[in-house]
Amino acid sequence: MKKDLDYYAGLPYREVIEVDPAGGYVGYIPELRGCITQGETKAEILEMLEDAKKAWISTALDDGMEIPEPLREEDFSGRFNLRIPKSLHKRLAMQAKAEGVSLNQLAMYLLASGLKTAAS
């Protein structure tokens, strides 16, 4: 399949819309760095974001830039390895034992509670 404007424009990129403190809304596509637009309403932002995405992709293609594709659920296994200092490992293990949970459960809880809540 030819990876042209139509190919990339049809991919399911994640669109983020946030309230602009100055008024209106800001919309952007995280995978396409710098692909951002502003508008007065959410409906306007969705339309403008589609135009911004096509312009971003078109420019990237013209400039020979690599165009990242959207992240897919199957790209994530739910596992990752993490090296930490022995002292932190000990503290976490002791806390997990005191709370009656596994180290894995405690680490998962701590990571999840530290993430900024955002609409995905």
Side-chain angles (χ1 to χ4, degrees):
M1 168 173 270
K2 183 177 178 188
K3 293 190 176 185
D4 57 7
L5 178 60
D6 290 335
Y7 170 80
Y8 287 107
L11 294 176
Y13 287 99
R14 184 169 58 106
E15 297 173 338
V16 178
I17 298 174
E18 298 177 349
V19 175
D20 186 344
Y25 296 89
V26 174
Y28 60 95
I29 299 174
E31 291 91 352
L32 306 179
R33 188 177 183 145
C35 182
I36 186 169
T37 190
Q38 292 181 286
E40 293 301 315
T41 66
K42 287 183 181 180
E44 182 182 36
I45 278 290
L46 288 172
E47 187 176 318
M48 293 176 72
L49 201 49
E50 187 63 27
D51 290 341
K53 176 175 71 171
K54 288 179 180 175
W56 192 100
I57 292 167
S58 181
T59 301
L61 287 168
D62 289 347
D63 292 347
M65 293 172 45
E66 181 180 341
I67 302 172
E69 295 194 12
L71 298 174
R72 302 168 307 171
E73 199 65 34
E74 56 268 17
D75 292 336
F76 303 97
S77 67
R79 297 182 61 130
F80 73 100
N81 293 321
L82 177 66
R83 295 196 183 278
I84 58 175
K86 290 179 182 181
S87 59
L88 178 57
H89 187 178
K90 179 182 176 182
R91 287 176 48 209
L92 289 168
M94 290 172 63
Q95 184 175 344
K97 184 175 182 176
E99 294 184 20
V101 298
S102 71
L103 180 56
N104 227 23
Q105 289 173 314
L106 177 66
M108 184 175 58
Y109 167 77
L110 293 171
L111 284 169
S113 64
L115 288 175
K116 176 184 171 189
T117 308
S120 307

